[in-house]
Each structure stands twice: as C-alpha cells, then as structure tokens.
Amino acid sequence: MPEGWEWDRTLFQGSAAYYERGRLPYAPGFADALAEALDLDGRGRLLDVGCGPGIVLLPMARFFTEAVGVDPDEDMLAEAERQAGRRGVTNARWVAARAEDLPAGLGEFRVVVFAQSFHWTDRDRVAATVLEMLEPGGAFAHISDLKDPLPEPPPLPLTAPPYDQVSDLVRRYLGPVRRAGQGMLVNGTPNREDLVIAGAGFGNFQRRVVPAGDVVTRTTDDIVAWTFSRSDSAPHLFGDRLNDFERDLRALLERAAPDDRFAERLPATEIRTWRKPRA
C-alpha cells in the first residue's frame, strides 16, 4: 500500500452516488477488446476486485458464466446491484470485502480484473493470492485510462473543465497534502504494477490500447459529481464545511462556463494482461 498510509473504510465514503455521473467512461468497446484479448467464450468466472458500482463488471458479465464483484464499500455494491437490475445482468453477485481478504472462499476464476484499484492494495500479497485463485492459464487484467501522451488533439469546441482550479479549491479546504480516508497520501499511490505482477509469477504479458477521443459535453453537476467521486475530495472529508465547499465549487464552475457547458475528450483505455502458467 502507499507508504505511510493505512486503508480505512471511509476511503470512498459518500462517493458511490456520484461515481457513474462524475467519472468519464472507459473507451467504447473496451469489454469486447478484453474479451478478444483473452479468447473469452461465455464460460468460466470473472472476479472484479475493487469493483465500485460495476463500471467494468457489468459490461464484462456477458462473457462469463458468473461475475463476482468485490468491494469494501457497501454503498458502491448497492449501486452496482441497482445498475445490474437496470441493465438486466442476472449472473453477477456482490461481496463486501477488501482485496486483502481474498480468497474469501470465492473459489477459482478464469479472469481477475483490477480497474484502477490495484494501487490501493497490499500489492505483493494480493498478486500472490490472485495467482492461486486463477485456473491454469487464467488471466490477471489491469484496466486504466491511458497515461502515455498522445499526439496533440484538435481544440475542444467548448471550455474544458477547470480541473486545476478545482484541485486548488480542494487544497484550500483540506490542506496541501492529498487526503485519503482518515489518512494522507504524502507521496501519492505507487505505480509499476508490471513489476509487482511479474514478480508474483505471472507471464505472457500483453498490452492493448482501445482508442476513444470522442468529445462529450459536461455540465456543472457532472463536474461536481466528479469531484465528490474521488477519494481525495469525498464528501465526508469536508465535514460541516461541505455545503460551503460545494457553493464555492459551483461558483468557480459558473465563472469558467456561464452557459453551464464544458467539453472533454474521452481518454483511450489501456488494457494490460498477464497469464498464470499452465504448469
């Protein structure tokens, strides 16, 4: 886990209601791209660790016999279950647990996926446990927004959300060091997942980038939801100043776009997979 930080259950407290509206989606077609990369055929079981409100699990469930979502935040799981009902996904179930609680009696899986959640875990321990939970030849999949720089895209047709100013406002209320649950992330979250996963015994690494780039229109409510969906600006962190913060945030956004319209370009999605050896 991040150096000097300990997990607690308030990490995303209060964020579930804002998550789907606030976060930009993964690239269209990411589920089909992952299914193609792993030769999925409707059999086997999927485990999504840190599943949140089901952003990845729900579109992936159709490629498996069963899909299991694990998350320590019960509000996230309740939202995921609601979304499953709305989308007619009937082969999913949800388990309140941390990654460090695995295997938790959940059995064997064909694929275990982490979508921008692995960095919150005790990575060496969790990677070793996932290796044991996978069937021979099973896959560890890591999904994230593409971080590598892309060629300069065309200009946006509307004002971009002023994320730097939003971050400055958060720091004015919560202090200069990034908050996370009851603790602080002095040095941010760790990276180089590839070294950790390879060190656990996985091999046959593959990488795919699913393009996106479409421009979407966002409103003030969307950017407020994005702010409250984040661990470093989750609603509970503001305490009795929450209403003051939201008032100042909305005023900032209104100054940036008086017509209440922002534009953002959907990021590409990076999919990295590793395989458990067959023998």
Side-chain angles (χ1 to χ4, degrees):
M1 282 180 278
E3 184 178 356
W5 176 81
E6 293 185 7
W7 179 88
D8 70 79
R9 64 176 57 254
T10 67
L11 181 60
F12 283 95
Q13 183 178 309
S15 295
Y18 300 99
Y19 205 96
E20 182 143 359
R21 178 168 192 169
R23 299 295 182 102
L24 290 173
Y26 290 116
F30 85 88
D32 292 301
L34 181 55
E36 180 181 1
L38 299 180
D39 298 320
L40 302 180
D41 55 8
R43 295 179 294 176
R45 303 172 72 222
L46 168 70
L47 177 64
D48 184 351
V49 184
C51 66
I55 300 295
V56 166
L57 183 148
L58 294 174
M60 290 300 306
R62 60 193 169 99
F63 297 106
F64 297 90
T65 302
E66 183 184 39
V68 180
V70 167
D71 200 286
D73 189 312
E74 294 189 2
D75 288 341
M76 289 286 190
L77 296 178
E79 181 63 22
E81 191 164 15
R82 281 193 291 271
Q83 292 293 336
R86 287 172 53 190
R87 301 184 191 192
V89 176
T90 59
N91 65 331
R93 66 184 179 99
W94 315 97
V95 177
R98 294 179 61 199
E100 291 77 11
D101 297 329
L102 297 174
L106 294 177
E108 189 175 68
F109 293 88
R110 184 173 184 180
V111 177
V112 176
V113 64
F114 291 79
Q116 302 188 118
S117 59
F118 190 53
H119 58 281
W120 289 117
T121 73
D122 183 341
R123 299 184 305 165
D124 292 312
R125 172 182 169 185
V126 169
T129 301
V130 167
L131 185 70
E132 295 300 317
M133 296 177 71
L134 283 165
E135 64 186 43
F140 184 121
H142 186 279
I143 299 175
S144 65
D145 295 337
L146 181 67
K147 302 300 191 295
D148 298 339
L150 295 171
E152 189 67 26
L156 293 170
L158 299 167
T159 301
Y163 287 126
D164 288 344
Q165 295 178 51
V166 173
S167 296
D168 288 343
L169 181 63
V170 170
R171 285 192 289 269
R172 277 171 42 202
Y173 271 83
L174 300 181
V177 181
R178 177 178 169 177
R179 298 288 299 275
Q182 299 303 306
M184 296 184 179
L185 291 178
V186 177
N187 299 311
T189 54
N191 54 20
R192 292 312 305 265
E193 290 89 353
D194 55 328
L195 298 181
V196 176
I197 297 166
F202 289 91
N204 191 21
F205 169 71
Q206 293 185 325
R207 176 179 181 267
R208 288 194 179 199
V209 173
V210 186
D214 290 348
V215 174
V216 295
T217 300
R218 305 264 273 167
T219 67
T220 293
D221 286 342
D222 296 330
I223 308 307
V224 170
W226 172 86
T227 305
F228 288 144
S229 77
R230 294 175 53 85
S231 62
D232 60 349
S233 50
H236 73 95
L237 294 175
F238 298 93
D240 59 7
R241 302 182 73 196
L242 177 61
N243 290 338
D244 293 340
F245 171 77
E246 184 170 346
R247 179 201 63 219
D248 289 348
L249 175 59
R250 289 183 177 276
L252 183 162
L253 296 172
E254 184 177 359
R255 289 193 299 272
D259 62 352
D260 193 30
R261 296 173 71 229
F262 299 93
E264 284 195 84
R265 199 175 304 279
L266 296 180
T269 297
E270 181 182 44
I271 298 174
R272 293 183 289 169
T273 61
W274 295 259
R275 295 280 189 169
K276 176 178 178 175
R278 291 190 175 275

